[in-house]
Amino acid sequence: MFSILSVVLFFGLLTPSQELLETVGTIARIDKDELASAVQNSLVGGPILQNVLGTVTSLNQGLLGSGGLLGGGGLLGFGGIVGAVQQVSGLKIEELTLPKVSLNLLPGFGVRLNLLTKVGLHGSGPLGSLLQLSAEVNVSSKLALGISPRGTPILIVKSCDTLLGHISLLSGLLPTPLFGVVEQTLFQVLPRLLCPIVESILVVVNELLSAVLGLVPLGALGTVEFTLATLPIISNQYIQLDFNPVVKSVSGNLIDFPEPRKPIKLPPKEDHTSQVTVPSYLFNTVFALLQTNGALDLDITPELVPSRVPMTTTALAGLLPTALGTLPPNHPLMITLRVREVPAFVLKSGKASLPLPVTMEVFVYHPHGIPDSLFSLNSVLTLSAHLATSATKLHVSLSLERLSAKLASSYSANFDVSHLEEWLSDVLRATYLPKLNVHLDGGIPLPKILNVNFANAALEIIDNAVLLTVASRG
């Protein structure tokens, strides 16, 4: 059985290291303010605080009765002021102010979480008068950060204490000796009543932390799944999670880019921000999936090309009259485009690009017959990548920056391919690029961490990765 405790203890050996940053793929740096915001949001509009109300059923029967603090060898025993205490009954928690959350990260361990709240208690005082009390309480807990048996990051309660602050009598009469008894009772009972709030918070926060490992659709092509590559690392300001992005086809086959992963060096993180990197490795596996599915290849027939771009033997002979002047006039053309190998996405010096190695063969097109090959070109399409973010995805669109081609074979004499590059570029801009961008329209999923919204993230292209920085909500 996988031991959570052994993993937690192992955290004491971990500190942030530049070497680690240079060897992993997707890195998430979650600011402590973002974690505090997740804790605060878990308390708003949910049942966590409501579940605490009414748990004290009666001061006589629950806290100070025969089965409580007075009877059966309880805190105070029998006698003394028992008669006075028994005049207080029905004390219940009726109000619980939304706690103010403060959070500190403990490097090498986890988190210290403080919840400052105010508890309102109602009951019956002496002679049956209405009794209303208000108590300021600070719930302080230490949470260890570990990994669950599923391999997800998880926060675990290691200790929880309450510090009782000022107690106010809002209405009713309560003799001074009895007030002291109630105060001591609250000291004993509130930890048992309020510490479960921390457990309930962690249920919500741990669900948000575990959501990162779910399968995310990659359009209609397949899925992306993020798995933890190493144990989380805790600094004074953020928690660092290192992921391996795993891309799979629709059939469930793993898509793995053969080239080794390139190093990533992250710039320092500013306070009150969270960051996620999208490595070139992830882009490459996405394009490997596109190639595996044949989505990068295209047969460009005249029906796909707008009339402004000529696709006839006459237009082609006009570009190369010496080599192709003997072609029969006004016959339609067809171009087959095949990607020769998995393309490698380039992220460097503030620019994103995709060199696409392709073979293009030009045919005389016969709709109901066999096309006649005219020539074949080995080309490289240099595509500029334009990046933008939405709440949960990084979106990529491509445009043709330039085309370079060499003649591979021809039915006639060799010719200067440069005369065709502008025409071929027009054809590709009109047909191939729109088709390619449709396949990329779904975007690349980002890790789901604490519901961080990346719609307004600052986007920076660093060497071998895209760095997204978002202001914390805390």
Side-chain angles (χ1 to χ4, degrees):
M1 173 66 84
F2 190 95
S3 172
I4 293 177
L5 291 178
S6 64
V7 172
V8 171
L9 292 174
F10 189 71
F11 274 108
L13 303 177
L14 295 178
T15 55
S17 69
Q18 184 64 25
E19 181 181 359
L20 179 64
L21 297 182
E22 293 179 352
T23 57
V24 298
T26 299
I27 299 168
R29 290 168 161 180
I30 306 304
D31 192 75
K32 70 174 184 178
D33 291 346
E34 197 67 53
L35 184 57
S37 177
V39 172
Q40 188 78 53
N41 291 340
S42 71
L43 295 168
V44 178
I48 293 177
L49 299 184
Q50 288 79 354
N51 288 343
V52 176
L53 304 183
T55 54
V56 184
T57 57
S58 170
L59 187 60
N60 282 339
Q61 299 173 6
L63 301 182
L64 302 178
S66 60
L69 300 174
L70 287 179
L75 178 66
L76 302 178
F78 185 80
I81 58 173
V82 173
V85 172
Q86 289 179 340
Q87 297 179 55
V88 180
S89 64
L91 192 64
K92 299 180 181 180
I93 295 179
E94 296 284 355
E95 298 174 290
L96 193 63
T97 303
L98 182 66
K100 180 180 179 181
V101 175
S102 64
L103 183 149
N104 292 307
L105 298 182
L106 306 175
F109 180 79
V111 177
R112 179 177 293 281
L113 175 65
N114 292 311
L115 305 174
L116 182 61
T117 187
K118 185 176 288 186
V119 178
L121 301 108
H122 296 183
S124 296
L127 304 178
S129 62
L130 177 65
L131 189 66
Q132 291 182 307
L133 296 168
S134 175
E136 295 177 353
V137 185
N138 184 47
V139 182
S140 179
S141 55
K142 289 182 70 175
L143 313 176
L145 180 62
I147 299 180
S148 74
R150 291 182 54 236
T152 63
I154 185 173
L155 288 167
I156 307 158
V157 179
K158 302 302 292 181
S159 65
C160 180
D161 300 292
T162 59
L163 179 63
L164 192 62
H166 181 66
I167 300 177
S168 303
L169 179 62
L170 303 180
S171 67
L173 297 174
L174 197 61
T176 301
L178 188 55
F179 188 92
V181 172
V182 172
E183 184 178 45
Q184 290 300 316
T185 301
L186 293 179
F187 269 117
Q188 294 295 320
V189 173
L190 284 178
R192 174 171 59 85
L193 297 178
L194 299 184
C195 281
I197 294 177
V198 178
E199 295 280 2
S200 298
I201 289 171
L202 293 194
V203 170
V204 178
V205 174
N206 285 335
E207 286 178 355
L208 293 175
L209 288 171
S210 66
V212 70
L213 299 187
L215 289 173
V216 183
L218 188 62
L221 296 172
T223 59
V224 176
E225 182 177 13
F226 294 92
T227 62
L228 282 175
T230 65
L231 294 173
I233 295 174
I234 305 174
S235 76
N236 291 322
Q237 294 296 323
Y238 60 87
I239 297 173
Q240 180 176 307
L241 303 174
D242 304 323
F243 300 103
N244 281 324
V246 178
V247 178
K248 295 182 180 179
S249 65
V250 174
S251 60
N253 294 324
L254 179 67
I255 304 299
D256 192 16
F257 192 69
E259 296 295 326
R261 302 187 185 192
K262 297 179 180 179
I264 298 173
K265 292 185 178 181
L266 293 181
K269 186 187 82 68
E270 296 181 1
D271 290 345
H272 313 300
T273 63
S274 294
Q275 294 178 324
V276 165
T277 65
V278 183
S280 57
Y281 174 82
L282 181 53
F283 290 94
N284 291 335
T285 53
V286 169
F287 281 99
L289 176 58
L290 288 170
Q291 190 197 36
T292 300
N293 291 350
L296 297 182
D297 300 333
L298 182 64
D299 291 340
I300 304 173
T301 59
E303 294 83 5
L304 301 178
V305 184
S307 58
R308 59 182 173 81
V309 181
M311 279 286 286
T312 65
T313 52
T314 299
L316 191 60
L319 297 173
L320 295 169
T322 302
L324 304 176
T326 59
L327 290 175
N330 297 321
H331 281 243
L333 300 174
M334 180 179 76
I335 302 174
T336 61
L337 184 150
R338 302 290 181 265
V339 175
R340 297 195 301 270
E341 59 190 49
V342 178
F345 208 78
V346 178
L347 296 166
K348 193 172 182 64
S349 302
K351 183 177 180 180
S353 60
L354 180 71
L356 198 62
V358 302
T359 297
M360 291 187 290
E361 191 166 1
V362 179
F363 297 85
V364 177
Y365 182 54
H366 304 292
H368 303 293
I370 299 175
D372 297 323
S373 177
L374 298 178
F375 54 87
S376 177
L377 305 173
N378 287 331
S379 307
V380 175
L381 313 182
T382 301
L383 307 179
S384 293
H386 310 277
L387 308 176
T389 59
S390 62
T392 60
K393 294 181 179 180
L394 177 63
H395 297 274
V396 183
S397 61
L398 300 171
S399 62
L400 181 62
E401 182 177 329
R402 65 180 181 274
L403 179 152
S404 59
K406 293 182 179 180
L407 188 65
S409 63
S410 174
Y411 88 106
S412 63
N414 291 343
F415 54 84
D416 186 355
V417 177
S418 64
H419 295 294
L420 298 178
E421 289 180 352
E422 183 176 352
W423 172 70
L424 287 170
S425 296
D426 290 340
V427 172
L428 296 177
R429 289 190 180 99
T431 59
Y432 185 63
L433 269 297
K435 179 246 187 185
L436 194 54
N437 284 326
V438 166
H439 289 303
L440 297 173
D441 190 55
I444 296 177
L446 300 171
K448 293 181 180 179
I449 307 172
L450 301 180
N451 286 333
V452 173
N453 187 328
F454 292 95
N456 297 316
L459 190 153
E460 180 183 359
I461 299 174
I462 61 177
D463 287 351
N464 306 319
V466 176
L467 177 63
L468 304 179
T469 303
V470 62
S472 299
R473 293 170 291 179

